[in-house]
Amino acid sequence: MQTDNLEDFKIIIATNDKSMTIIDMLKQVALWLKKKEINQWRFLLDSGEDKEIEQDINNRNTYIVLKEDDLVATFTLLSKQSEWDMHIWGDDITSTSLYLHRLAIQPNYMSKGIGKSILEWIQKNIRRDIEYIKLDCVADNVKLNNFYKSNGFELVGLKDGHSKFQKSV
């Protein structure tokens, strides 16, 4: 496996002018997943979250990973629960958690250690008052579930066909 050094990449907060590029990338990844018969993110293909994605970018919660000028990956970190987070995790107002959403890597950059490097970057660069990073993914996406487990996330339950993972930071 070839590993790209994250030093060759730049992680920055996405700006509004990148909204369509990010949405297009997420749809490309969703289509790639569908072609691989992985039931993850199909709702993105129908523009199901375009407005939410744009709002997360506008609120400065979305990051992009660049190699030179190429968009390699994106992810969103929320310090307040979204409606989906409340559905999956329950009302979690007392916790100091960050919720990781839409971690996506361009298919030609997959399997190079970039996802692991992004998770490490998040842990090193988040606010110090954060206790947990929480996320969910489709429970039957075995490869993705194993990815999070191998990166120190603990499976803490299932809800509506989604694995709930958290990692203490």
Side-chain angles (χ1 to χ4, degrees), residues 22-145:
I22 293 167
I23 290 169
D24 287 345
M25 181 203 149
L26 289 168
K27 288 180 182 182
Q28 289 171 14
V29 172
L31 186 59
W32 181 86
L33 290 165
K34 183 179 179 180
K35 287 178 181 175
K36 296 274 188 186
E37 298 182 3
I38 299 169
N39 184 21
Q40 182 96 29
W41 289 358
R42 293 202 178 160
F43 56 89
L44 291 175
L45 295 173
D46 300 324
S47 303
E49 286 198 354
D50 288 6
K51 293 292 181 208
E52 183 178 322
I53 294 165
E54 289 173 357
Q55 189 62 55
D56 285 337
I57 293 167
N58 189 49
N59 291 342
R60 302 179 53 81
N61 294 323
T62 298
Y63 295 78
I64 55 175
V65 181
L66 302 170
K67 183 169 188 173
E68 296 168 11
D69 290 331
D70 292 336
L71 178 63
V72 172
T74 185
F75 59 94
T76 296
L77 293 172
L78 301 177
S79 57
K80 291 187 171 42
Q81 286 183 305
S82 67
E83 192 175 310
W84 177 254
D85 294 325
M86 284 189 249
H87 172 74
I88 293 293
W89 293 93
D91 199 359
D92 193 16
I93 58 172
T94 60
S95 144
T96 52
S97 298
L98 271 182
Y99 294 86
L100 176 59
H101 291 274
R102 295 184 294 273
L103 171 58
I105 299 167
Q106 293 277 18
N108 56 323
Y109 283 98
M110 290 180 182
S111 300
K112 296 182 178 188
I114 294 170
K116 177 183 176 75
S117 294
I118 289 170
L119 293 175
E120 290 170 354
W121 182 92
I122 291 169
Q123 291 169 76
K124 289 177 187 168
N125 290 281
I126 60 172
R127 297 187 337 246
R128 295 291 157 226
D129 61 335
I130 297 298
E131 270 184 275
Y132 295 101
I133 299 171
K134 294 183 178 183
L135 61 94
D136 68 89
C137 64
V138 175
D140 63 5
N141 186 339
V142 175
K143 188 174 181 178
L144 188 57
N145 279 260

